[in-house]
Amino acid sequence: LAKTTQPISMDSYEGQEVNITCSHNNIATNDYITWYQQFPSQGPRFIIQGYKTKVTNEVASLFIPADRKSSTLSLPRVSLSDTAVYYCLAMDPTGGFKTIFGAGTRLFVKA
Amino acid sequence: DAGVTQSPTHLIKTRGQQVTLRCSPKSGHDTVSWYQQALGQGPQFIFQYYEEEERQRGNFPDRFSGHQFPNYSSELNVNALLLGDSALYLCASSSFGDRGEKLFFGSGTQLSVL
């Protein structure tokens, strides 16, 4: 299981684009990059997942460079409700489902 | 379609007691994983159940045990509770074999050990 490194916290303002970068230098060939969002007293919620290049869904984009040693979660035009903890994970979905979470990035969106 | 449901939502116990937490997975899911989340930290993997067997286990003592039933629901049991067991316990379900894991979490059970 690849270890991931993220910033501990980030601040932003409403309407801005937020980019959270995750480092995963020892990512394995079969590992997927997955991001979760967690609000206080709730379980983490799946945001987006990708293997390489760019993935976009209705809430975020995920950019993964060719070497796959890092990835960037992009949240367009954040609002106050995007204040949460964001977790980056790199794991092999076919090698069992033992998912390891790090400490995550605490995003605080200000008005 | 109900998501992952956990019960109870809150629980208060005293040291030395035993506790059982329950989880019903999302419809169509057959795998249940349990996590412990201390305040201010990320979820820590306890174990995973598939086909009524413990498939993987994290770094937790034998005081933590579990069970999965034929309907895929699951229980987490903790014996001889310690103050340090106070945490949010999360259950997550998934479908074994799906390419690209997407865990669906419940809202958790907040356990306080006094």
Side-chain angles (χ1 to χ4, degrees), chain B residues 4 15 17 23 30 35:
Chain B
V4 178
R15 282 178 298 175
Q17 285 189 313
C23 171
D30 54 12
Y35 290 81

Side-chain angles (χ1 to χ4, degrees), chain B residues 8-99:
Chain B
T9 55
H10 296 82
L11 203 53
I12 299 175
K13 292 286 189 178
T14 57
R15 282 178 298 175
Q17 285 189 313
Q18 178 264 345
V19 68
T20 297
L21 311 181
R22 296 176 176 82
C23 171
S24 292
K26 179 179 169 61
S27 177
H29 285 181
D30 54 12
T31 302
V32 173
S33 302
W34 287 92
Y35 290 81
Q36 179 195 67
Q37 187 173 27
L39 191 63
Q41 298 181 21
Q44 300 299 305
F45 177 78
I46 302 175
F47 43 53
Q48 179 191 82
Y49 277 84
Y50 171 66
E51 291 188 333
E52 302 180 49
E53 291 187 8
E54 182 182 296
R55 294 286 171 161
Q56 296 194 45
R57 189 178 183 93
N59 188 26
F60 279 80
D62 292 343
R63 297 188 297 110
F64 290 77
S65 64
H67 187 76
Q68 185 179 35
F69 300 94
N71 66 353
Y72 308 120
S73 67
S74 177
E75 288 182 349
L76 165 65
N77 300 294
V78 186
N79 294 322
L81 284 168
L82 304 174
L83 295 179
D85 294 331
S86 294
L88 180 67
Y89 288 85
L90 295 163
C91 168
S93 73
S94 55
S95 184
F96 194 86
D98 272 359
R99 185 69 189 178

